[in-house]
Structure formats: C-alpha cells, structure tokens
Amino acid sequence: MNDFIPPAKPLIGEEERAAVDRVLRSGMLAQGPEVAAFEEEFSSHFGLGRPCVAVNSGTSGQHLGLLASGVGPGDEVIVPSFTFAATANSVALTGATPVFADIHPDDFCLSAEAVEAAVTDRTVGIMPVHLYGHPAEMGALCEVARRHGLQVFEDAAQAHGASLDGVPVGSFGTFGMFSLYPTKNMTSGEGGMVSVADPGVERRVRLLRNQGMDRQYHNELVGLNNRMTDIHAAIGRVQLTKVARWTAQRQENAAFYDAHLDGVTTPPVATGAVHVYHQYTVRVPEDRDGFAAALREEYAVGSGMFYPVPNHRLAPFRADVDLPETERAARECLSLPVHPSLSPNDLDRVASAVNQLAKAGA
Ligand SMILES: *Cc1c(COP(=O)(O)O)cnc(C)c1O
C-alpha cells in the first residue's frame, strides 16, 4: 500500500523553531515587538497598503472588526451560508443577525445578485468569503454596497495573496480578515490579521483586542483579550518569507490537476482573478461521500469536504431560506490535496485515482 497523502500539511521548518526559541529566550512572551513587526511585514507582503492589526485568531479578527465598524443588535449582515461557521458566528456574536445569501456555482463565492435580493432596511453590511482562495466578485458586490449604503467586510481567511484585477483581497472593504490557523496557506500556530481602511476602525480594533485599553488602566471601551503573542508572531514572520513560494507551488499543483483530471468538474478561475488554492475543489455530482471514502480506502488519498452542512442548516442559525447553489455545492464539493509538499508522484497518484473512480462511477 502506498503512503497516505494527507489533505493538508502545515510546513514548519528550522527557521520557525529558531524564531520561537529567540522569543522564549528573551523572556518577553506576550504581545510586543514581534507582533508590531509582523503587522507591518504582513501589510507590505500582501500589498494591502493599509494598516494590519494582529489578533489571536481569524474569528477574533472578524468579531473585533465588526464591533469596531459599529455592527450590533438590530443590524443585519449578509453572508454566504457555504462557508466555515466563523463567518456567521462573528456576526451573531456582535448581536447582529447573519442573513444568508446564495453563491455562484463556478467560484463558490457570494453572488452579488443574491445579495441584492437579500437587502432589507436593517442591512448594514456584506461579508463575502474568498472561498478556497478564489476572490469573490468584489466589483459587483461593492457596487451593491455603494447603492444601498452598506459596509463591506471581507473574510479572506483562506485567501492570502489572492487578488482581483491586481487589487489584493482584504483591501476592498472596511476591513479584511486573514486566518493564520495551521492548515491555512500560512500559519502562526493560531492567529488572525485584520487589515483596516480607516484609522478610527484600526484604533478600535487595537483597543478591543486589549480590554479597551491603549494606555494601561485608562480603559476607553469594553474589550476582550484577543492579543497575539510574540511567540506566534515570530512563527508568522518566518512563514511570510516562504508563503509566496508555497502559493506558486499550489498554483502549479492546481494547473497539473486542471490538465489531468477527467470526469469531475475542475474549478474555473474568473477573468482578472488570482486564485491561491487554499483548496482545489472539484464537484462529484454522484455519491461524493462514497467517492471520498474510496479515495481514502482504495488509493490512500485524503480529501476534504468543505462544507457538507451549510450554515443556514446549523442549529444556531437555522433559517428557512432557499439556497439551491449552496445546497448543491454542499452535496458535491470535494477538495483534493493541493498543498505545497506534494511530490510529482503524489500528484500523479491523486489524478489517476480520481480519474479511475470517476470512470468507474460513470
Ligand atoms: C479558518 C476560517 C475562519 C476562521 O479563522 P480561525 O483562525 O480558525 O479563527 C473564518 N472563515 C473562514 C472561511 C475560514 O476558513
């Protein structure tokens, strides 16, 4: 039997270990100079051209970003249902209501047309997710937002380095959130980064992550402890020097699948979009779950289902909405290993396993 090919594989090297050791030796572990340096380097690395604030998770970043943008009870924020629960959780934690809209079948991201139809007089914002590393249709979404006077909040948790017509994701809206969870395109262990357009929002995110304080014991508002540690920032700073190479490898792996997969629907890339392939997601129209099990058991190939239960069917968010493309994607989507540590032989194995299974099922 061949070795198992995992669906994701965080890459931690000697440099990361040395960076952590440097912080541990310094004796200063909490938020400090490493975090400040990481914020600056993250902003310039991803070409955001605006301030970035580091927090202890992507979810915290979304939560604080929304609070800092004035979202609260009585408000509605339009979100996709086909995403990780953090998107809707962060809205609900502010006291606002997440309102679910459908996605495009081609890029799996929020549809501007569906958003337009979901706007009410309580809507204050739209939170598109750049799902799998593909940018949402920001031109059309920002136009809907402009017409209705809404804010745009970006969930770029999976999309470090993705762009649309040369504009990096995370720089379109009031804020953009990036996750630094271990399976994301780069990691700090756990962590998140919020890129902000406005100095007022930036200041409030900085206050909110630190008990509402800028100066010790001069609390200005009610806040949390959502700080990033210098230990995590040190890991993230090293990963930043490697992520461009990893992304290029993900894109090469994706190009290989595009050229070699047969019998499953491969993911198209929109005109003007740079896809960073956090996931390489195909559609398996018949018995996706059986297909995934056979990949694992017969071919030792791991895969992922993101997301088999859409948010509008999760207990905390249960909503009676009609989201046909979301339902279909939840049934059909299968993410194949695309991470940068795959060897040419791994890529061959994945492609031929998928092709054989697709042929057998046809
Ligand atoms: C990972 C993820 C988040 C949350 O990030 P954490 O760092 O795990 O809190 C939010 N949205 C999406 C789409 C994600 O994939």
Side-chain angles (χ1 to χ4, degrees):
M1 188 72 170
N2 283 315
D3 287 343
F4 181 69
I5 301 176
K9 189 171 177 194
L11 282 161
I12 300 293
E14 275 311 317
E15 300 92 334
E16 283 86 341
R17 278 191 278 276
V20 168
D21 204 41
R22 184 181 71 232
V23 174
L24 294 179
R25 278 173 207 285
S26 79
M28 309 238 302
L29 312 186
Q31 180 186 298
E34 293 282 340
V35 169
F38 186 31
E39 291 176 339
E40 294 221 341
E41 289 160 8
F42 192 95
S43 176
S44 54
H45 185 92
F46 291 114
L48 295 161
R50 44 192 233 171
C52 287
V53 183
V55 287
N56 61 344
S57 76
T59 309
S60 299
Q62 278 173 302
H63 181 209
L64 301 193
L66 289 164
L67 289 172
S69 306
V71 174
D75 296 336
E76 293 177 354
V77 176
I78 301 172
V79 298
S81 171
F82 191 61
T83 175
F84 187 54
T87 315
N89 273 338
S90 64
V91 172
L93 280 171
T94 68
T97 304
V99 171
F100 299 108
D102 213 353
I103 53 168
H104 276 295
D106 42 3
D107 62 14
F108 306 106
C109 297
L110 200 54
S111 145
E113 202 183 318
V115 167
E116 176 93 58
V119 173
T120 72
D121 56 8
R122 302 198 331 175
T123 311
V124 298
I126 308 173
M127 184 144 59
V129 179
H130 306 297
L131 199 73
Y132 304 143
H134 188 291
E137 51 171 353
M138 296 311 292
L141 288 163
C142 290
E143 177 52 28
V144 172
R146 196 193 55 75
R147 264 205 315 279
H148 295 277
L150 310 175
Q151 299 191 72
V152 173
F153 315 117
E154 295 175 76
D155 180 333
Q158 307 184 351
H160 316 66
S163 63
L164 196 58
D165 298 323
V167 181
V169 302
S171 66
F172 286 90
T174 306
F175 72 83
M177 173 282 284
F178 297 84
S179 167
L180 299 164
Y181 184 74
T183 57
K184 301 291 157 78
N185 287 23
M186 62 171 284
T187 186
S188 60
E190 288 265 15
M193 198 62 87
V194 193
S195 131
V196 278
D198 170 86
V201 175
E202 177 194 0
R203 180 145 202 283
R204 284 194 293 281
V205 174
R206 291 188 186 282
L207 289 170
L208 286 163
R209 78 171 168 185
N210 187 37
Q211 313 285 0
M213 295 187 297
D214 180 7
R215 279 194 305 139
Q216 194 80 339
Y217 308 128
H218 287 73
N219 304 54
E220 298 174 42
L221 39 80
V222 175
L224 294 137
N225 172 3
N226 283 347
R227 297 183 302 262
M228 179 181 278
T229 71
D230 264 15
I231 304 169
H232 293 88
I235 299 171
R237 292 181 69 192
V238 174
Q239 295 256 312
L240 257 189
T241 66
K242 303 177 176 179
V243 66
R245 210 159 67 232
W246 291 336
T247 299
Q249 189 61 56
R250 285 174 182 275
Q251 290 162 334
E252 255 183 60
N253 296 347
F256 178 89
Y257 289 148
D258 285 344
H260 291 89
L261 293 185
D262 229 352
V264 292
T265 310
T266 58
V269 180
T271 310
V274 171
H275 192 332
V276 295
Y277 294 100
H278 172 60
Q279 301 294 348
Y280 184 91
T281 302
V282 300
R283 284 179 187 270
V284 182
E286 297 295 329
D287 188 21
R288 182 265 324 263
D289 295 14
F291 195 99
L295 268 183
R296 188 177 57 247
E297 283 149 28
E298 295 169 31
Y299 297 92
V301 170
S303 62
M305 290 172 204
F306 311 105
Y307 297 86
V309 185
N311 284 253
H312 73 283
R313 290 203 273 109
L314 295 175
F317 302 118
R318 197 149 291 156
D320 187 19
V321 280
D322 189 27
L323 306 174
E325 289 300 343
T326 295
E327 299 286 358
R328 188 161 74 90
R331 241 182 1 254
E332 297 183 349
C333 277
L334 191 67
S335 298
L336 304 175
V338 72
H339 53 81
S341 20
L342 296 168
S343 68
N345 185 51
D346 292 336
L347 291 165
D348 268 330
R349 272 182 55 201
V350 174
S352 74
V354 169
N355 292 346
Q356 283 172 48
L357 283 172
K359 200 184 252 167

